[in-house]
Amino acid sequence: MDRRQEILEAAAKSFSLFGYKATTMDQVAKIANVGKGTIYTFFANKEELFNAIVVKMIDEMRVEADKAALEGGTFEEKAHARLMHMLKFRETHLLYAKLIDEEKELRTPAVAEVLQEIEEAIVFYIEEKIKKAIMNGEVRQCDTKLVAYLLFKSYLALVVDWNKTHDEELDEDRIVKLISETIFKSLFV
């Protein structure tokens, strides 16, 4: 493995364990078993290192979401599988979960900015899938960016946020039915 990759893995581990604010370049160097100067040959500062890790995480999330899509499924089935998988990734990926916690607890500006970038990347990903479905005649013309945002926020609200304020947990079938009868129903030709 090359040094740059070792540094990225060590930094990802440090950010996942300690968060953005508490991670130092000294910690990363220690975990990577390299001198601090070696890190600076690849990354100008902690922010650049952090951004490289986040870009890699976003790519990983896209790959995982694409794997979740049901082969031969309808646009709606694929969209549901991808969105549910991305939300699962959000909750189970150590770094992503740590960033969400840090933003809630410490309101670290760099973390808030990165979480916004991740959300924008997710919405862009969904928008690309909607555009492809329009080209394939599966979905009617629409404002793809707004529909992508609406889908993501709807799933986020129903899968993640609902449980925070309600005693009753929503099961996946109920979520599918609701979004199918509202948002998806309006998209089909």
Side-chain angles (χ1 to χ4, degrees):
M1 187 181 316
D2 67 26
R3 285 277 187 230
R4 185 177 191 282
Q5 187 60 36
E6 288 174 357
I7 292 166
L8 283 170
E9 287 182 12
K13 183 175 183 179
S14 184
F15 287 124
S16 296
L17 291 172
F18 307 112
Y20 174 81
K21 198 170 195 169
T23 291
T24 65
M25 294 300 252
D26 286 327
Q27 284 174 323
V28 174
K30 187 174 182 177
I31 294 170
N33 201 24
V34 298
K36 197 160 96 174
T38 304
I39 296 173
Y40 288 112
T41 61
F42 297 103
F43 303 97
N45 51 40
K46 178 172 130 176
E47 292 77 21
E48 189 177 302
L49 177 58
F50 183 57
N51 286 331
I53 291 164
V54 169
V55 165
K56 185 178 177 194
M57 182 181 70
I58 291 170
D59 289 342
E60 183 183 335
M61 184 174 15
R62 283 184 186 131
V63 167
E64 292 298 315
D66 280 338
K67 285 181 190 174
L70 307 170
E71 191 68 35
T74 66
F75 169 77
E76 182 177 351
E77 291 167 337
K78 290 177 181 178
H80 174 74
R82 286 180 174 127
L83 283 157
M84 290 299 287
H85 200 78
M86 281 191 278
L87 291 174
K88 182 180 177 189
F89 184 95
R90 180 183 187 269
E91 299 296 318
T92 59
H93 190 276
L94 293 177
L95 176 58
Y96 202 166
K98 185 67 171 180
L99 293 176
I100 292 167
D101 289 344
E102 182 172 338
E103 204 283 321
K104 283 180 192 169
E105 294 171 16
L106 303 176
R107 302 272 186 221
T108 307
V111 171
E113 190 176 304
V114 162
L115 288 173
Q116 180 63 36
E117 289 173 24
I118 294 169
E119 182 176 300
E120 288 170 6
I122 291 170
V123 170
F124 180 76
Y125 170 84
I126 297 166
E127 183 181 10
E128 288 177 324
K129 301 303 181 189
I130 294 170
K131 285 178 180 178
K132 184 177 178 185
I134 290 170
M135 287 176 35
N136 292 339
E138 295 176 85
V139 172
R140 71 177 67 219
Q141 286 290 334
C142 62
D143 186 328
T144 56
K145 187 173 193 166
L146 286 178
V147 172
Y149 182 83
L150 178 63
L151 277 171
F152 174 65
K153 288 299 190 170
S154 297
Y155 271 88
L156 184 64
L158 294 170
V159 174
V160 178
D161 296 338
W162 175 271
N163 298 337
K164 295 175 186 172
T165 56
H166 296 81
D167 294 333
E168 168 195 18
E169 189 172 319
L170 295 176
D171 64 39
E172 192 171 339
D173 290 336
R174 193 166 169 200
I175 293 168
V176 168
K177 185 175 186 214
L178 175 66
I179 293 179
S180 179
E181 292 175 352
T182 55
I183 300 170
F184 283 121
K185 190 175 189 176
S186 69
L187 291 175
F188 297 118
V189 181

